């Protein structure tokens, strides 16, 4: 097995993913962050469609409803770009401010009382008011993170939350990636680097 230099494809193994069976969270100290569930990523006509993303909608929708009902904060991040954005050096044009692709999918429409954070980069903390609300206003300790793309905006936001010592919780059925490797490596990083907790399903989380 080669552990240095370029990975040898034949030696790649699925990483160990410690699962937490169920978790009970204090709604007054918990925020659910729904990352980038926008038409450009979730709708088949979107410019950066993630084919696995639509299948996460039922789990995310159910979790959002339960979080709202419990009194937990619900935050939606919205990837937001303008025409001169440097991200288009990396990706095709997507999530242009005001476009249909930029809008959060109808099924998860933010409701009064939810909070929407527009962000220009993968990390929802970078250059946004997210930390201000979570820490200073709401006194949040735990963030549940769902959405897409798992190894990009979900992972970078989870990392940024972990670095700030928020407790990070990720339901595996609420995140989606383009490959199984990306999905697995995301969950691996969240548990191993940030002491995050992964549950198999959003339904394994209780607000109580
Ligand atoms: Zn973007």
């Amino acid at each position: 097995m080669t552990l240095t230099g370029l990975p040898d494809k034949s030696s790649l193994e699925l990483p160990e993913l410690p699962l937490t069976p169920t978790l009970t969270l204090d709604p007054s100290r918990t925020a659910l962050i729904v990352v980038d569930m926008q038409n450009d990523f979730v709708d088949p006509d979107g410019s950066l469609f993630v084919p696995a993303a639509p299948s996460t909608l039922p789990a995310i929708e159910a979790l959002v409803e339960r979080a709202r009902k419990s009194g937990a904060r619900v935050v939606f991040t919205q990837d937001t770009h303008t025409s001169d954005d440097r991200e288009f050096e990396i990706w095709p044009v997507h999530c242009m401010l005001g476009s249909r692709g930029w809008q959060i999918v109808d099924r998860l429409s933010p409701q009064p009382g939810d909070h929407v954070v527009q962000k220009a980069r993968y990390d929802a903390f970078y250059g946004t008011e997210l930390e201000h609300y979570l820490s200073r206003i709401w006194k949040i300790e735990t963030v549940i993170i769902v959405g897409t793309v798992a190894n990009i905006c979900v992972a970078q936001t989870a990392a940024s939350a972990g670095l700030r010592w928020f407790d990070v919780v990720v339901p595996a059925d609420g995140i989606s990636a383009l490959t199984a490797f990306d999905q697995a490596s995301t969950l691996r990083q969240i548990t191993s680097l940030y002491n995050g907790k992964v549950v198999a399903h959003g339904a394994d989380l209780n607000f109580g």
Side-chain angles (χ1 to χ4, degrees):
M1 184 185 296
T2 308
L3 292 178
T4 58
L6 292 171
D8 170 6
K9 209 171 179 180
S10 66
S11 71
L12 280 176
E13 292 168 17
L14 189 67
E16 194 64 35
L17 296 175
L19 273 186
T20 301
T22 60
L23 207 52
T24 298
L25 303 166
D26 174 357
S28 69
R29 293 282 173 267
T30 301
L32 171 62
I33 302 177
V34 181
V35 175
D36 295 8
M37 291 298 282
Q38 296 159 262
N39 288 318
D40 267 343
F41 300 115
V42 183
D43 187 295
D45 293 331
S47 64
L48 280 177
F49 177 52
V50 178
S55 63
T56 63
L57 281 167
I60 295 176
E61 186 180 37
L63 195 56
V64 166
E65 282 171 10
R66 291 172 57 230
R68 280 190 194 121
K69 226 171 260 176
S70 76
R73 296 284 175 175
V74 176
V75 177
F76 291 86
T77 74
Q78 191 170 28
D79 204 35
T80 301
H81 301 297
T82 48
S83 55
D84 57 351
D85 201 301
R86 286 200 60 187
E87 223 175 73
F88 302 149
E89 294 170 16
I90 308 171
W91 304 102
V93 172
H94 64 280
C95 296
M96 286 284 287
L97 177 65
S99 68
R100 184 180 179 279
W102 167 76
Q103 287 166 0
I104 292 165
V105 293
D106 288 344
R107 192 162 167 180
L108 297 176
S109 281
Q111 303 292 308
D114 298 343
H115 195 88
V116 179
V117 172
Q118 294 180 4
K119 65 179 186 57
R121 299 246 57 203
Y122 310 144
D123 173 3
F125 287 85
Y126 174 75
T128 74
E129 71 278 22
L130 181 58
E131 185 174 17
H132 170 74
Y133 278 97
L134 293 177
S135 294
R136 302 290 168 196
I137 310 294
W138 301 331
K139 316 287 188 200
I140 295 299
E141 291 166 3
T142 301
V143 291
I144 306 166
I145 304 179
V146 293
T148 205
V149 180
N151 59 308
I152 309 175
C153 294
V154 169
Q156 297 272 328
T157 298
S160 212
L163 291 175
R164 289 167 170 81
W165 293 112
F166 288 103
D167 293 327
V168 175
V169 176
V170 174
D173 66 349
I175 66 169
S176 48
L178 289 167
T179 70
F181 175 86
D182 291 338
Q183 182 89 352
S185 67
T186 299
L187 295 170
R188 165 72 173 171
Q189 294 290 81
I190 287 167
T191 50
S192 65
L193 295 189
Y194 308 109
N195 206 20
K197 292 195 167 62
V198 171
V199 293
H201 309 103
D204 301 326
L205 298 176
N206 301 303
F207 299 93

